[in-house]
Amino acid sequence: MKPSVIVLLLLSGSLFFSPPTWYQSLSDAQSIAKELERPILLVFSGSDWCRPCMKLEQEVLSQPNFQQFAAAELVLLKADFPRKRKNKLSSERLSAAEELAEHYNPKGMFPTLLLLNASGEITSSLSYQGEGSAEFIARIKAASSL
């Protein structure tokens, strides 16, 4: 195959890839997880004040290889707790995040990363250790038998 054809195929594949959906509602995430038979990755974040959360977002969650992996293998659920006025959540989103925190993160630790089954039961707790996205994906795979 000619190199120009390979480049064209790679570019066209990236043009049609859409990032995975981040759900804010546990019931929505559970419904999709049941339908697709996938685990849920629940992320508790302080997106505009928690340095480790920002680093996790930048070095893992926003990386193309993680997004492609997540789109194919996970259902993503985020409970974000921004503090800056410009990032204020709607009352509906804040209520959903608080409900998740009450059940899954009562100590308010950030970032907290949990793998849940479609029933909402915790199957694994993950920590972000500053590793890159490839290493983090490998830990998710090991923890969830993917």
Side-chain angles (χ1 to χ4, degrees):
M1 195 176 281
K2 293 182 180 181
S4 59
V5 173
I6 293 172
V7 170
L8 182 62
L9 288 172
L10 289 172
L11 287 175
S12 66
S14 64
L15 292 175
F16 295 111
F17 172 75
S18 60
T21 300
W22 282 92
Y23 295 93
Q24 277 81 42
S25 159
L26 178 60
S27 61
D28 290 346
Q30 286 178 295
S31 176
I32 298 298
K34 285 176 187 170
E35 180 182 323
L36 299 177
E37 297 180 358
R38 294 181 184 174
I40 299 167
L41 176 63
L42 171 55
V43 177
F44 286 92
S45 178
S47 62
D48 64 4
W49 58 270
C50 169
R51 287 196 186 272
C53 300
M54 290 185 260
K55 190 173 179 182
L56 171 67
E57 179 67 36
Q58 179 183 13
E59 295 180 359
V60 176
L61 304 178
S62 67
Q63 294 301 309
N65 65 333
F66 176 81
Q67 291 188 351
Q68 289 175 340
F69 166 74
E73 303 291 341
L74 300 171
V75 173
L76 300 175
L77 176 61
K78 187 178 276 186
D80 191 19
F81 293 88
R83 290 185 179 163
K84 294 181 181 174
R85 183 175 299 176
K86 69 179 183 177
N87 300 326
K88 186 177 178 182
L89 300 177
S90 68
S91 59
E92 181 181 288
R93 284 187 64 191
L94 180 60
S95 177
E98 288 173 342
E99 192 174 309
L100 285 167
E102 227 176 82
H103 185 72
Y104 293 107
N105 190 11
K107 293 182 181 178
M109 303 297 291
F110 295 91
T112 292
L113 303 120
L114 303 170
L115 284 171
L116 312 175
N117 63 23
S119 298
E121 299 163 337
I122 298 171
T123 60
S124 187
S125 178
L126 301 166
S127 60
Y128 175 60
Q129 301 169 353
E131 72 271 41
S133 56
E135 293 86 359
F136 192 73
I137 290 168
R139 287 196 310 115
I140 290 173
K141 286 180 178 180
S144 62
S145 303
L146 290 175

